[in-house]
Amino acid sequence: MIQIDWQSRTPVYEQLIQGIVRLKSFGILSPGEQLPSVRAMASDIGVNPNTVQKAYQALEARGIIYSVTGKGSFISPNESIDEEILKEAENRVGKTVREAAQMGLPKERVVRVVDTVYAERSMSE
Amino acid sequence: MIQIDWQSRTPVYEQLIQGIVRLKSFGILSPGEQLPSVRAMASDIGVNPNTVQKAYQALEARGIIYSVTGKGSFISPNESIDEEILKEAENRVGKTVREAAQMGLPKERVVRVVDTVYAERSMSE
Amino acid sequence: MIQIDWQSRTPVYEQLIQGIVRLKSFGILSPGEQLPSVRAMASDIGVNPNTVQKAYQALEARGIIYSVTGKGSFISPNESIDEEILKEAENRVGKTVREAAQMGLPKERVVRVVDTVYAERSMSE
Amino acid sequence: MIQIDWQSRTPVYEQLIQGIVRLKSFGILSPGEQLPSVRAMASDIGVNPNTVQKAYQALEARGIIYSVTGKGSFISPNESIDEEILKEAENRVGKTVREAAQMGLPKERVVRVVDTVYAERSMSE
DNA sequence: GTGGTCTAGACCACA
DNA sequence: GTGGTCTAGACCACA
């Protein structure tokens, strides 16, 4: 379910975090649902258990999942958390756009890119 | 001329690269113009000469500057480079926006962020 | 596996680059295969890790290998790279021959040299 | 008469040496003819006098020119020297071809390049 | 352990 | 002085 891009510079544990958040935002993982155990997830996607552990802990710290000792990890029911995630994404966009602007990228080109991305999405739905 | 953000996670040599690219895109550094020597730049911004070397060599590999042993480093006359840099920036924006969209960030919020960034810029001019 | 000529004027990191390219072109290193770690390679050939780093990063920039922090460095699966390397070598030959011709070296002598080089090679196989 | 390629990696004084050798081999500079003074040559081609000095000394060491204190530098009448120059050129060709061969460049492609170079030359004559 | 960044400092060829 | 190479060694994030 989660694809790791080994060539990418974004750390594997980051990709894991974003992957799970995405699956939740798509409703593929619903509140209360149990996640694969650290070991299962690790062997599934061919990753060191430490890496999965790190991702789960970050997700728990952000309130997206919760862990029950001896039982496993579950998608958190908490709804209001989502806004925090969106804000993080928004900040990343802001930072990248600011850098591009400083390089001289005109606003029109940024707008065109944004349009393209959201057009792709509405088509694949 | 170039400000280093020591708190930032982006490596110093990367900030240097971006700084010089930016100065060139603003026309503050024009083709043929000589850059400060590796050592001068290093002591200017309080960094080890090796770090500046790394940045200069990366810029040379990208065709943005060229270096002549014994003479110095110069802004490359190559014109077509600029568009390449803009395309790189555009790609980064596209990638970040796509990720944000996958997280569920609505288009309106992305647009608002873009507007804000470019509004900031026009005000500071 | 890689021999460094300490007398040579071509920098050690350059020799490393060429050595790895050569091993790949011989099929001794196949796509996906893991290279010795920076530190292992360094101690193998008696060189500072920084020097190996420089070579590996140059190879990555040329798309010949790719590195994953925490995992290691691997021969890139990219196929089309090989032809690029041959073209670079071809260009170097062309440039050197052109210079020799300008010095007045007759074609027959160039041909004889080429014959000799390839004869050596077929004998050592 | 002599063009310096500042982008090239071959040192300026080397380019100077090769330039004069070439002019001699073309008969543009004949035995006995006086060369421009170090200073004149330096300002002609926009180079540091030290650099011209170095080139002249190397040429004298190789017997291609000779200097008379207080009078200037002259093209040497010595004919047999030329063979040495050809041998140097030949060695450079050999080295480059050997490297290309090690990269996997097939002999046919080397031969084709050599043919092309000498074909160009016979056409421009 | 693995790649990546950075400092401090030496040494070289070249201009 | 100027770029380029290299060593020795520290420190970091990541796996």
Side-chain angles (χ1 to χ4, degrees), chain D residues 99-119:
Chain D
E99 279 174 11
Q102 281 187 320
M103 295 298 176
L105 192 70
K107 189 179 171 186
E108 302 80 55
R109 289 179 67 167
V110 174
V111 170
R112 200 182 321 145
V113 167
V114 173
D115 285 344
T116 311
V117 168
Y118 280 91

Side-chain angles (χ1 to χ4, degrees), chain A residues 14-46:
Chain A
E14 262 295 325
Q15 294 186 44
L16 262 171
I17 292 173
Q18 291 180 10
I20 290 170
V21 167
R22 196 178 311 154
L23 290 175
K24 189 187 174 190
S25 81
F26 285 168
I28 298 173
L29 292 173
S30 349
E33 193 166 337
Q34 183 166 11
L35 287 167
S37 75
V38 169
R39 282 185 198 80
M41 177 70 94
S43 79
D44 260 24
I45 58 185

Side-chain angles (χ1 to χ4, degrees), chain C residues 8 10 17-19 21-22 25-26 83 85-87 89-118 120-121, chain D residues 8-10 17-19 21-22 25-26 83 85-87 89-90 92-118 120-121:
Chain C
S8 165
T10 58
I17 292 173
Q18 290 178 10
V21 167
R22 196 178 312 153
S25 82
F26 285 168
E83 177 55 22
I85 290 167
L86 292 186
K87 267 192 190 130
E90 209 174 38
N91 286 338
R92 276 196 293 271
V93 170
K95 202 183 143 206
T96 310
V97 171
R98 192 163 290 113
E99 280 174 9
Q102 283 186 320
M103 296 297 180
L105 192 69
K107 190 179 171 186
E108 302 79 52
R109 290 180 66 168
V110 174
V111 170
R112 200 183 322 145
V113 167
V114 173
D115 284 343
T116 311
V117 167
Y118 279 91
E120 284 169 15
R121 290 179 58 73
Chain D
S8 164
R9 280 183 203 118
T10 58
I17 292 172
Q18 291 182 10
V21 167
R22 196 178 311 153
S25 81
F26 285 167
E83 177 53 22
I85 292 166
L86 294 186
K87 266 193 189 133
E90 209 173 37
R92 276 197 292 271
V93 170
K95 197 183 146 207
T96 310
V97 171
R98 193 163 289 114
E99 279 174 11
Q102 281 187 320
M103 295 298 176
L105 192 70
K107 189 179 171 186
E108 302 80 55
R109 289 179 67 167
V110 174
V111 170
R112 200 182 321 145
V113 167
V114 173
D115 285 344
T116 311
V117 168
Y118 280 91
E120 286 168 14
R121 291 179 58 72

